[in-house]
Amino acid sequence: AVVSTQSTGQYENGTYGLREAVQEIKDLKKQTGIRDKEIGELTKQMNKLELNLGTVLDENEEMRRRLGLGQNEDIDLSELRFAKEAEQEQLRAINRLLNAEVERLEKERLELKKILRKQAMHRGVRAV
């Protein structure tokens, strides 16, 4: 209602005509096309996720059957979560060590490069 009131006011002032209306329609159709594409992509993603969920639920049901657990029987996952968190922390620590090693090696590389330049200057060879 606000848009049509604005359009009407602009039309009455002579600032909104057929050209602007046609352009507005084209823009709206373009926006609609983009939105429809996005909806299509989201629908595909949702269908894929639903398929994956169904597979996971089927696997879970089969594993419960093999373990002799009922469908509604709770499983204590705190130990599993603790082990995963410990593994993640260990990987983060290793990553920190490796990053420190990379920094140390980079400094060493720069220092060696500096030494090579000095040696090249003393020998009269152009530095690398």
Side-chain angles (χ1 to χ4, degrees):
V2 174
V3 173
S4 58
T5 305
Q6 280 183 327
S7 298
T8 304
Q10 289 174 340
Y11 175 75
E12 289 172 354
N13 292 335
T15 58
Y16 186 85
L18 182 59
R19 182 180 307 146
E20 290 80 14
V22 169
Q23 185 59 47
E24 185 177 347
I25 290 170
K26 285 181 183 178
D27 291 344
L28 291 172
K29 283 183 179 181
K30 190 176 188 180
Q31 288 174 4
T32 302
I34 292 170
R35 189 200 65 222
D36 289 348
K37 240 184 223 183
E38 288 174 352
I39 289 171
E41 287 299 316
L42 289 172
T43 301
K44 282 181 190 176
Q45 288 177 4
M46 191 172 85
N47 290 339
K48 186 176 179 180
L49 289 172
E50 284 178 349
L51 182 65
N52 290 343
L53 177 61
T55 301
V56 168
L57 290 174
D58 291 343
E59 288 175 357
N60 186 38
E61 185 179 334
E62 177 61 19
M63 292 298 146
R64 283 179 169 276
R65 187 189 64 75
R66 288 182 188 180
L67 291 171
L69 297 172
Q71 289 300 319
N72 296 326
E73 193 173 333
D74 288 338
I75 299 173
D76 182 15
L77 298 174
S78 59
E79 197 173 306
L80 174 68
R81 289 182 181 127
F82 179 76
K84 279 186 168 188
E85 183 57 38
E87 181 184 7
Q88 287 293 319
E89 186 54 42
Q90 185 178 18
L91 290 173
R92 283 190 284 271
I94 291 170
N95 195 15
R96 284 190 297 272
L97 289 173
L98 291 173
N99 281 330
E101 181 70 8
V102 165
E103 286 179 31
R104 186 189 67 74
L105 290 170
E106 181 61 23
K107 286 178 184 177
E108 183 179 335
R109 183 187 74 81
L110 292 173
E111 190 60 36
L112 290 171
K113 194 173 180 181
K114 204 183 293 184
I115 291 169
L116 282 174
R117 284 187 178 142
K118 285 181 183 178
Q119 288 176 353
M121 286 176 57
H122 288 304
R123 293 195 176 126
V125 178
R126 186 172 182 183
V128 185

